[in-house]
Amino acid sequence: MSGHDDVTLQLAKKEQKEHLGPEMASLLNDMTNRDIIVAASPLDSSPPETPGYTTLKSKTVHFIRHGQGFHNLLADSYRSEGKTWTQYTNHPSNPYVKPEITDAPLTHKGRLQATSLQPLTSTLPVDLVVVSPQNRATHTALLAFSHLLPSPPFSSPPSVPFVAHESVREETGVHVCDKRRSVTLARSEFPYVDYSLIESDEDPMFTEEGRETKGQIGERIYDFIMWLKDREEGNVAVASHSGWLMTLFNGVVICGEELKPWFMTGELRSVKIEWRIKN
């Protein structure tokens, strides 16, 4: 968590704690008793053993949390001023429900965080880049992996597919920063991204009435990981969000403690993923 100020670090600790609890434990119990389970580890170690299961396939996946978005900046500002709020409520005190940060884009700091990954990402073998269709995550991936994009005059396609996937978006509901813009607008801003997997032009998932449960987001993460299993690419980058990544490593995959902490903005973790089937 180095490179972040105390306000940002304290807010990260608070939000990490809010995500952990009985719902997350119940989700992990469900996921670890399925016919196909998923295990993960850093690249320099092996995923935890799971007796009674046989490995089907493995891949290297580089998970990235988007750079700082305007909603992150606003929340940090509130906290530095001593303001408090209750998460997932439509109350004026909650910075995440302000309409000005709908589908929050990257701040200048967020763009710098994304571009600062380029010396690392340029050394990684990557065959596919999967992005959340939300602005900040898509933009982060395009900046971090800009070496895979065509050079001016931009007449050729990217050297690898950049694919938007609805199941990679942030846990949604109530907080308008987690409501995505239309695919029509996204395509106009990010023409190198393939949006063909997204069925609805407008956001079909967001509601002001309530937040996704851990079971709901866990199910779509599992569905995405199963989709990834069936792809031919062996080296993949995935640009997503803090809540999504927290649920992935604490509620969906079996992994050691080193992968469980909160992702900070602009953080990348390279992971070995193994799919295992019950004997």
Side-chain angles (χ1 to χ4, degrees), residues 265-279:
T265 52
E267 182 178 351
L268 182 153
R269 295 181 199 169
S270 295
V271 174
K272 181 180 182 180
I273 296 285
E274 288 187 356
W275 290 263
R276 299 171 180 174
I277 190 167
K278 186 177 291 185
N279 295 336

Side-chain angles (χ1 to χ4, degrees), residues 9-235:
L9 293 174
Q10 289 303 314
L11 185 57
K13 290 179 180 178
K14 175 179 179 291
E15 295 196 345
Q16 174 175 286
K17 185 177 180 180
E18 289 170 347
H19 277 269
L20 297 174
E23 262 198 291
M24 189 76 85
S26 176
L27 173 63
L28 183 61
N29 182 65
D30 170 36
M31 292 293 173
T32 55
N33 283 286
R34 297 194 173 194
D35 289 341
I36 297 179
I37 60 173
V38 187
S41 70
L43 297 184
D44 60 359
S45 61
S46 298
E49 294 184 2
T50 52
Y53 285 83
T54 301
T55 300
L56 283 172
K57 184 180 290 188
S58 67
K59 296 188 181 193
T60 295
V61 185
H62 310 287
F63 290 100
I64 304 175
R65 182 188 173 191
H66 61 79
Q68 184 194 62
F70 275 96
H71 64 308
N72 303 126
L73 175 62
L74 187 59
D76 285 353
S77 297
Y78 269 43
R79 190 169 179 85
S80 66
E81 295 169 4
K83 296 179 180 178
T84 60
W85 64 91
T86 302
Q87 292 279 68
Y88 318 132
T89 60
N90 276 303
H91 192 275
S93 64
N94 186 351
Y96 297 127
V97 300
K98 292 192 173 298
E100 294 87 350
I101 59 166
T102 299
D103 196 6
L106 295 177
T107 63
H108 175 63
K109 178 179 180 178
R111 294 191 296 273
L112 291 177
Q113 288 174 331
T115 55
S116 72
L117 292 172
Q118 291 172 356
L120 172 59
T121 58
S122 63
T123 69
L124 302 176
V126 173
D127 312 311
L128 170 69
V129 180
V130 185
V131 302
S132 157
Q134 289 170 269
N135 184 282
R136 57 193 183 271
T138 301
H139 198 182
T140 295
L142 290 168
L143 290 172
F145 292 94
S146 60
H147 62 285
L148 300 177
L149 299 176
S151 301
F154 308 112
S155 56
S156 58
S159 58
V160 306
F162 282 71
V163 177
H165 200 297
E166 194 89 274
S167 289
V168 180
R169 61 184 290 181
E170 181 60 298
E171 180 180 307
T172 193
V174 185
H175 291 176
V176 297
C177 54
D178 301 325
K179 179 180 181 180
R180 71 161 171 82
R181 65 193 65 190
S182 71
V183 171
T184 299
L185 286 176
R187 276 200 180 104
S188 68
E189 188 166 0
F190 304 119
Y192 291 117
V193 176
D194 178 0
Y195 289 92
S196 62
L197 292 178
I198 299 182
E199 298 178 356
S200 174
D201 188 51
E202 297 296 335
D203 188 343
M205 297 171 60
F206 181 82
T207 172
E208 295 180 353
E209 305 308 314
R211 193 77 169 171
E212 277 187 292
T213 65
K214 281 299 172 196
Q216 289 170 330
I217 187 174
E219 200 62 54
R220 64 178 172 88
I221 291 173
Y222 183 82
D223 289 346
F224 167 72
I225 295 294
M226 292 301 108
W227 173 86
L228 192 60
K229 172 180 69 70
D230 295 332
R231 295 283 303 197
E232 63 181 14
E233 297 89 355
N235 297 281

